[in-house]
């Protein structure tokens, strides 16, 4: 069997086209969705992610404001910057690009972002609301993964989903969203014993480990949906996922590539949350 490749890029393009129309409509009502991005230091990967987010804003007509600060910025200065965006009526979404320099508390920074402008879905208020199924901004990568599975035409309900990874930004929230979609969910991590025996039960396998091409065909149940979240730079310089794409493609039913898989969806869900935030803050009904 050769898997169907789920193109995150194509799905993301469709959603962005719809967003562009929605933003145009909002502009006619005098509402211009605005995203503020704060980037600290000179990490090349962070700069590249921010570039992608700004490009996404340009494509969809969302106003964006990027503030670049040197790594020496104090925590207090960063918190003041966030506070200014909290109060700025032209800004509906605030994103602080992670990771932060070691002297700045990630918790303090996330806590400072107003929950109704937290378009990354990282604040405790949003995470709590997601957990109990309340209306909230869903975290972008997990939300993008759910959309990708749904738009591939595959049912989630009743399937056994295995998530490898339990980070706060990917593993835990995607497991929670899969549960809300009525999957039976198993979360595996670095202490899981006999990982392959667990993953071979997965109808849906989400891999968010951060280890280049760790998952080969021997981990896959034939016909499974395999979502590769990993973004790793191989020794050759090539961008690769956590999954061995070529061999797993021969065992799985559906598979996402890297690049052009989960990555474009993450940014697209951020844009979607920003548009929702603009509607929410303007008192308009949301989706
Ligand atoms: P983290 O490093 O925070 O988490 C990795 C998880 O993998 C941990 O829970 C860890 O377990 C688990 N793990 C590590 N080694 C093993 C192993 N040998 N067997 C089983 N589990 C293991 O990573 P993130 O969740 O932040 O990111 C994961 C990957 O996804 C990275 O490559 C990252 O770049 C990528 N990513 C991609 C995004 C996109 O938009 N495409 C967005 C966000 C992330 P334990 O908890 O026990 O240590």
């Amino acid at each position: 069997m050769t898997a169907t490749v789920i193109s995150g890029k194509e799905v993301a393009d469709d959603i962005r086209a719809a967003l562009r129309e929605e933003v145009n409509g909002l502009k006619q009502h005098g509402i211009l969705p605005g995203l503020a991005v704060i980037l600290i230091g000179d990490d090349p990967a962070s700069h590249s992610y921010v570039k992608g987010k700004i490009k996404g804003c340009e494509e969809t007509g969302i106003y964006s404001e990027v503030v670049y600060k040197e790594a020496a910025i104090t925590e207090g200065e960063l918190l003041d910057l966030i506070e200014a965006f909290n109060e700025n009526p032209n800004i509906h979404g605030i994103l602080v690009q992670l990771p932060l320099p070691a002297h700045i508390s990630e918790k303090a920074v996330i806590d400072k972002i107003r929950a109704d402008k937290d378009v990354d879905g990282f604040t405790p208020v949003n995470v709590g609301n997601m957990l109990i199924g309340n209306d909230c901004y869903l975290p972008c990568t997990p939300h993008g993964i759910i959309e990708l599975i749904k738009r591939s035409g595959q049912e989630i309900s009743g399937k056994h989903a295995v998530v490898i990874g339990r980070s706060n930004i990917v593993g835990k929230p995607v497991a929670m969203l899969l549960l809300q979609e009525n999957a039976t969910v198993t979360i595996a991590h670095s202490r899981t014993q006999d990982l392959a025996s667990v993953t071979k039960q997965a109808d849906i396998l989400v891999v968010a480990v951060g280890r280049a091409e760790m998952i080969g065909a021997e981990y896959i149940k034939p016909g499974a949906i395999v979502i590769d979240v990993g973004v790793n730079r191989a020794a050759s310089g090539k961008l690769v996922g956590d999954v061995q794409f070529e061999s797993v493609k021969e065992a799985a039913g559906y598979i996402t590539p890297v690049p052009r898989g989960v990555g474009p969806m993450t940014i697209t869900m951020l844009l979607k949350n920003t548009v929702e935030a603009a509607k929410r803050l303007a008192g308009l009904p949301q989706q």
Side-chain angles (χ1 to χ4, degrees):
M1 169 190 278
T2 298
T4 301
V5 177
I6 305 174
S7 167
K9 173 74 171 63
E10 276 174 26
V11 175
D13 283 349
D14 285 351
I15 299 175
R16 286 184 194 198
L19 279 176
R20 193 161 46 239
E21 278 188 27
E22 194 172 3
V23 170
N24 273 336
L26 287 172
K27 282 182 186 164
Q28 279 158 27
H29 291 91
I31 300 164
L32 175 60
L35 175 71
V37 181
I38 302 173
L39 174 54
I40 314 289
D42 50 15
D43 174 47
S46 292
H47 275 260
S48 148
Y49 292 141
V50 166
K51 220 167 122 189
K53 289 165 187 175
I54 300 311
K55 189 166 160 259
C57 286
E58 286 165 3
E59 267 174 48
T60 46
I62 294 172
Y63 167 71
S64 63
E65 217 172 298
V66 192
V67 179
Y68 297 97
K69 290 287 176 188
E70 291 192 358
I73 188 173
T74 66
E75 186 175 301
E77 286 167 338
L78 177 55
L79 296 181
D80 287 347
L81 197 55
I82 295 169
E83 185 55 23
F85 283 129
N86 279 341
E87 298 303 324
N88 184 337
N90 298 323
I91 294 299
H92 306 97
I94 302 170
L95 180 151
V96 181
Q97 184 65 44
L98 302 177
L100 295 169
H103 65 280
I104 298 178
S105 153
E106 195 175 295
K107 177 180 175 342
V109 166
I110 291 173
D111 282 350
K112 186 71 180 174
I113 298 171
R114 247 172 68 170
D116 58 2
K117 294 193 176 187
D118 169 31
V119 285
D120 252 342
F122 286 171
T123 59
V125 170
N126 270 315
V127 174
N129 278 328
M130 178 196 64
L131 187 71
I132 53 181
N134 281 350
D135 185 31
C136 64
Y137 300 123
L138 295 178
C140 302
T141 303
H143 189 192
I145 291 168
I146 299 294
E147 279 297 314
L148 270 185
I149 300 172
K150 284 185 176 171
R151 287 175 186 244
S152 73
Q154 295 303 296
E155 189 70 45
I156 297 176
S157 180
K159 298 241 166 90
H160 185 182
V162 174
V163 178
I164 319 180
R166 56 173 164 179
S167 70
N168 288 334
I169 60 167
V170 188
K172 281 185 207 161
V174 79
M176 211 41 63
L177 294 182
L178 286 162
L179 181 63
Q180 275 166 16
E181 296 291 337
N182 300 312
T184 301
V185 182
T186 301
I187 306 176
H189 46 76
S190 67
R191 312 288 172 88
T192 299
Q193 303 207 346
D194 193 2
L195 183 62
S197 74
V198 177
T199 59
K200 281 195 89 120
Q201 297 173 38
D203 304 308
I204 299 172
L205 179 64
V206 178
V207 189
V209 174
R211 287 173 181 256
E213 300 182 317
M214 175 182 139
I215 299 298
E218 69 278 17
Y219 288 84
I220 307 298
K221 176 177 176 180
I225 302 168
V226 178
I227 306 291
D228 187 357
V229 187
V231 179
N232 312 286
R233 192 65 69 181
S236 63
K238 200 178 145 206
L239 215 55
V240 295
D242 291 344
V243 171
Q244 294 164 22
F245 183 79
E246 290 306 329
S247 61
V248 170
K249 194 168 62 143
E250 299 308 318
Y254 293 81
I255 187 167
T256 60
V258 176
R260 299 165 85 85
V262 172
M265 289 300 286
T266 295
I267 298 180
T268 302
M269 293 300 132
L270 172 76
L271 304 173
K272 192 170 167 61
N273 279 349
T274 304
V275 173
E276 291 302 309
K279 284 156 58 181
R280 183 178 300 215
L281 291 163
L284 296 176
Q286 292 119 58
Q287 269 177 2

